Amino acid sequence: GEDVEQSLFLSVREGDSSVINCTYTDSSSTYLYWYKQEPGAGLQLLTYIFSNMDMKQDQRLTVLLNKKDKHLSLRIADTQTGDSAIYFCAEILSNDYKLSFGAGTTVTVRA
Amino acid sequence: NAGVTQTPKFQVLKTGQSMTLQCAQDMNHNSMYWYRQDPGMGLRLIYYSASEGTTDKGEVPNGYNVSRLNKREFSLRLESAAPSQTSVYFCASSGWDMNEKLFFGSGTQLSVL
């Protein structure tokens, strides 16, 4: 479903930072996720954040959560060619505990 | 560590044909899911099985049936394929706690002509 909204495309130069934004709708979501899909493969969990956190950092990845605005972002520092993929934002719906995915942001890293 | 295994990887059907997509997981997960992925629409849940012996409709169940054969296996059947079912299908599984992360198979690319 399209309860979760993301921009569809992002182009970034190798070595720069990438920022992927997402808005979600369920203010009671307990967990919010970022999944990565490489070409021809299934989705893999990249990182997640619990709803009582504002920020989570994991090596080159920084997740920021603004609960007031229901806004989630993923920052990738020093973007590499291997970061080219589709990134999906997802939220756990509090009424049925199923994941709701955004449409995915295709990140293209150019030299 | 196989994880989630889906077969086949590719399939072409004619309108009206039937087929079954197979999925198996070896992680002793309770919950299994079938999603379809269409360009610009993200992943949409077709059916899920919260535990062995139970199945429930997701967001887009029409035209599909599922069977949770045992704890490991969850199949998706198209009884009479339609061009609108051309998509990439993903099976996924997760542990008992539905807040746990999903593990995905590598997908089945289905074309219905």
Side-chain angles (χ1 to χ4, degrees), chain A residues 26-92:
Chain A
D26 187 349
S27 57
S28 300
S29 286
T30 51
Y31 288 90
L32 296 130
Y33 301 84
W34 285 104
Y35 280 82
K36 177 183 180 182
Q37 183 183 29
E38 295 182 355
L43 281 70
Q44 288 189 306
L45 182 67
L46 196 59
T47 188
Y48 67 94
I49 188 166
F50 189 52
S51 59
N52 67 353
M53 300 168 66
D54 297 325
M55 184 180 84
K56 179 179 180 181
Q57 190 150 0
D58 183 3
Q59 298 181 336
R60 292 190 297 121
L61 305 177
T62 303
V63 179
L64 295 178
L65 176 60
N66 180 332
K67 286 193 70 177
K68 175 177 171 290
D69 295 336
K70 287 184 276 189
H71 184 264
L72 182 74
S73 67
L74 174 69
R75 179 176 179 271
I76 306 172
D78 186 26
T79 310
Q80 303 297 308
T81 54
D83 296 322
S84 291
I86 305 175
Y87 292 81
F88 291 90
C89 173
E91 62 174 340
I92 286 276

Side-chain angles (χ1 to χ4, degrees), chain B residues 69-82:
Chain B
L69 303 168
N70 47 56
K71 193 170 186 179
R72 289 186 64 247
E73 299 172 288
F74 188 39
S75 62
L76 178 72
R77 182 159 178 85
L78 287 71
E79 290 291 352
S80 178

Side-chain angles (χ1 to χ4, degrees), chain A residues 1-2 8 30-31 33 35 37 40-45 86 88 92 96-99 101-104, chain B residues 33 35 37-38 40-45 48 57-59 90 98-107:
Chain A
E2 295 301 301
L8 293 183
T30 51
Y31 288 90
Y33 301 84
Y35 280 82
Q37 183 183 29
L43 281 70
Q44 288 189 306
L45 182 67
I86 305 175
F88 291 90
I92 286 276
D96 61 10
Y97 301 103
K98 291 195 290 291
L99 276 179
F101 286 88
Chain B
Y33 311 80
Y35 288 90
Q37 182 182 23
D38 300 293
M41 299 189 75
L43 275 75
R44 292 182 292 170
L45 183 64
Y48 69 101
K57 294 179 181 179
E59 186 184 352
F90 288 99
M98 293 190 73
N99 286 334
E100 291 187 26
K101 66 178 183 179
L102 293 179
F103 289 82
F104 284 83
S106 57

Side-chain angles (χ1 to χ4, degrees), chain B residues 12-113:
Chain B
V12 179
L13 294 177
K14 293 181 181 177
T15 297
Q17 286 186 316
S18 62
M19 78 159 296
T20 300
L21 281 65
Q22 307 286 353
C23 175
Q25 52 90 10
D26 62 2
M27 296 172 282
N28 200 36
H29 282 166
N30 287 296
S31 301
M32 298 185 73
Y33 311 80
W34 276 104
Y35 288 90
R36 60 178 287 173
Q37 182 182 23
D38 300 293
M41 299 189 75
L43 275 75
R44 292 182 292 170
L45 183 64
I46 305 171
Y47 269 94
Y48 69 101
S49 171
S51 61
E52 187 179 357
T54 69
T55 61
D56 287 285
K57 294 179 181 179
E59 186 184 352
V60 287
N62 291 344
Y64 305 95
N65 284 301
V66 290
S67 295
R68 183 74 182 267
L69 303 168
N70 47 56
K71 193 170 186 179
R72 289 186 64 247
E73 299 172 288
F74 188 39
S75 62
L76 178 72
R77 182 159 178 85
L78 287 71
E79 290 291 352
S80 178
S84 61
Q85 294 178 303
T86 294
S87 187
V88 180
Y89 291 85
F90 288 99
C91 178
S93 69
S94 66
W96 181 251
D97 183 349
M98 293 190 73
N99 286 334
E100 291 187 26
K101 66 178 183 179
L102 293 179
F103 289 82
F104 284 83
S106 57
T108 297
Q109 192 166 318
L110 175 67
S111 295
V112 183
L113 306 177

